Amino acid sequence: MPELPEVETVRRGLEPSMSDAVIVQADINRPDLRWPFPDRMAERLTDRRVTGLRRRSKYILADLDSGETLLIHLGMSGRMTVSGDPLGQFAHTHPAREKHDHVVFHMDNGARVTFNDPRRFGAMDLLNTTTAETHPLLAKIGPEPLGNNFNEDYLVAQLKSRNTPIKSALLDQRIVAGLGNIYVCEALFRAKISPTRKAGQISAPRIRSLVPIIREVLSDAIAAGGSSLKDFRQADGELGYFQHSFDVYGREDAPCHTPECRGVISRITQAGRSSFYCAQCQR
DNA sequence: ATAGGCACCTGGTGGC
DNA sequence: TGCCACCAGGTGCCTA
């Protein structure tokens, strides 16, 4: 589910409940997600004020007044939802604990933030705020696609000597952060580039064209409140709308959206994952 | 260094 | 209903 736009949507949804609020209780309902939780995680979170909520790639980073930062990754199926009354003005009830509710943060404003993740590919860790960028999970990640360090010259230089399909290259988080299977397919469609084309053999002008397109695809999705598939929900439980805007993802055998194009969308497997594209107009 | 494949885990869907 | 195969948003790790 969660690529950069979904993670950013979740971050924004959590902000009113978590930012500048104190975690008065942390329920840790199992010992691990993808990896074991850090030592004494509940104690290290309890009574800590969240001083800021950031996002880096697909990670949410909650800065704490202890000088530590809580790192959260949603994996494939992770969700974070808010219940209760963040303003703390009214009596309210919280929903019962559900299956796969692995971590629950009780905030001093009355909000409850629940991390639910059936497949448990997600992760949490605690790291020093000042050295967060050197954390093993963050150290090798490339530039933010919506930031200034991701630009045309950079992408051309990165892809120039790559012998891997452009699809795989754009999924490589070391080249650019935050893209996943859906938005790579969508960006390549808008750029009219076949996912099978070797990155290094695509002309510089076409590579350059990918930069504003990637920015646009991600911005559109964030503006729509995230997408992704079937069950993506924003922190307030509302469904994201971008899923209604997919041109290729999940549209196997459906007509190509390019005006005048008579093609239908194909699904192929690359590196074990589905790629959707129009073989007629993506070259 | 780079590229490709597997593993981790659960649930939903569709066919028989 | 039951069983089974296949598919799913990610990414660390291992092997050539």
Side-chain angles (χ1 to χ4, degrees), chain A residues 184-203:
Chain A
V184 166
C185 290
E186 295 298 317
L188 289 173
F189 170 78
R190 292 194 191 188
K192 296 283 163 275
I193 296 172
S194 166
T196 62
R197 185 130 303 206
K198 303 267 193 183
Q201 66 140 125
I202 302 171
S203 72

Side-chain angles (χ1 to χ4, degrees), chain A residues 94-105:
Chain A
H94 292 281
R97 205 220 273 192
E98 292 187 24
K99 201 173 182 184
H100 308 305
D101 283 354
H102 305 311
V103 176
V104 182
F105 304 110

Side-chain angles (χ1 to χ4, degrees), chain A residues 1 30 33 74 76-79 99-102 115-122 231:
Chain A
M1 164 211 350
R30 54 170 299 121
L33 290 170
L74 301 174
M76 291 272 267
S77 57
R79 273 168 243 176
K99 201 173 182 184
H100 308 305
D101 283 354
H102 305 311
F115 180 98
N116 179 291
D117 183 9
R119 294 177 75 179
R120 279 184 272 120
F121 291 163
D231 53 1

